[in-house]
Amino acid sequence: MLFKIASVAALASSVAAHMAMSEPCPRFSPNCATQPPLPAGQGYNYNIKNPIAYDAPVFISDTPWPQPVASWTAGQPVTVKFQPDGAAHGGGHCQFAISYDNGKTAAIVHKVMEHCFFNGPSDGNNAEVLQYTFNLPADVPASSKAQFIWIWTNAIGNRELYTGIADITIANPGGSTSYTGKSAIYPNHAGYPTIPEFNGDYTTGVSLFDNAPNVVVSPGGSPAPPASSAAPPKPEYSSSAVESKSVAPPVGHTPAPQPSAEPTVEVTATEPPATQPTAPATPVYTSSAPTAVPTGSACTHGALQCVSGNAGFQQCVWGVWSATFACGKGTVCQQTSPDAVICGWA
């Protein structure tokens, strides 16, 4: 039996709607002030406030609006707004990114760590902040078919993923043809590490975003790097910090690769595979928990290990062991495979 920590507020809101972007209007939202007509064969998404299913694509639809919902200019302020009646789950981490290949590759243009939707630490569900204004980087290239992406990792409650994708145009008077930024990542989803409940520590998971590799995004795609600087093989990610196993990424989206000595990687958009890959079987692991590796030692990204006499665990973040996360009261860390743990009843 597994133990999961949740505040009374989070439990009470488990049937409530969550946070959703309203401006720029995400694909097929019925809740925006204005939106384009629906594309043929599409319907409004009345579940837009629901979390993304663990093994589903990270965006609700691959089909764009028939016309852009916003026109932005590189180097100028832009504003992102959210609906006012959703459960904010104590805040958490928000990423804001730009893509030119329908979200397959996305580079961060702004982020709000720790207290997204709040002005500081909170265990509440009523958002205090419903819009963010920031300058779009000056070197974001112009395009009539760009995508703006919002990704939220909640601080309290079930470990879930919330996203929104909006179709926009970008003007760039300076003529930049590419933008380099940290890769967007999708915690709490198949193929990515799970960020545990914060339990009052709002720095939980921040290093995962800080250590993400750089990616280059461009309206025309980027040329493949030469063999001498090719990106390293894509790693398998630990899927959960509570019960973890490596699984295949969702169709049409590839997790960010591990950084190499030169962390910037250039990406060329490719067509998604025709069928969704199947997650590999998880072997039964019966040996004792591994010896704790000191923080800072090399490790495989996404791996988990029990430490502190099984009172907690560490997660490998881009080759470095994190600080120790404590298991919940009455539970102990149990190593279920070389790279996976659970916090189970003692």
Side-chain angles (χ1 to χ4, degrees), residues 12 34 65 73 96 104 106 111 148 154 160 177 188 194 251 259 264 275 280 284 320 326 329-330 333:
T34 60
W65 284 114
T73 300
F96 303 92
K104 297 180 182 68
K111 61 184 180 180
F148 175 74
N154 55 308
E160 295 170 332
T177 58
N188 308 338
T194 287
V251 172
T264 299
T275 59
V284 177
V320 178
K329 184 177 180 180
C333 185

Side-chain angles (χ1 to χ4, degrees), residues 4-7 10-11 13-15 18 51 89 152-162 188 194-197 242:
K4 181 170 284 187
I5 301 169
S7 71
L11 290 171
S13 68
S14 60
V15 296
H18 305 281
H89 292 289
W152 174 39
T153 304
N154 55 308
I156 296 174
N158 294 336
R159 308 324 297 144
E160 295 170 332
L161 172 70
Y162 300 86
N188 308 338
T194 287
I195 293 178
E197 254 189 310
V242 178

Side-chain angles (χ1 to χ4, degrees), residues 58 95 97 106 108 149 151-153 161-163 182-189 192-193 195 205-213 237 253 255-257 301 317-318:
V58 294
Q95 304 171 78
I108 299 299
I149 293 167
I151 308 164
W152 174 39
T153 304
L161 172 70
Y162 300 86
T163 68
K182 292 287 188 182
S183 176
I185 56 177
Y186 302 85
N188 308 338
H189 194 266
Y192 289 89
I195 293 178
V206 169
S207 60
L208 185 67
F209 305 97
D210 291 344
N211 295 324
Y237 289 79
H253 192 84
H301 181 68
V317 180
W318 306 121

Side-chain angles (χ1 to χ4, degrees), residues 20-32 34-36 44-45 48 60 65 69 81 83 148 150 163-167:
M21 186 168 66
S22 61
E23 184 180 314
C25 187
R27 290 176 182 174
F28 314 149
S29 170
N31 303 319
C32 303
T34 60
Q35 59 267 103
Y44 286 116
N45 176 23
I48 198 163
I60 291 170
W65 284 114
V69 297
K81 297 182 179 180
Q83 292 178 233
F148 175 74
W150 160 71
T163 68
I165 182 169
D167 300 288

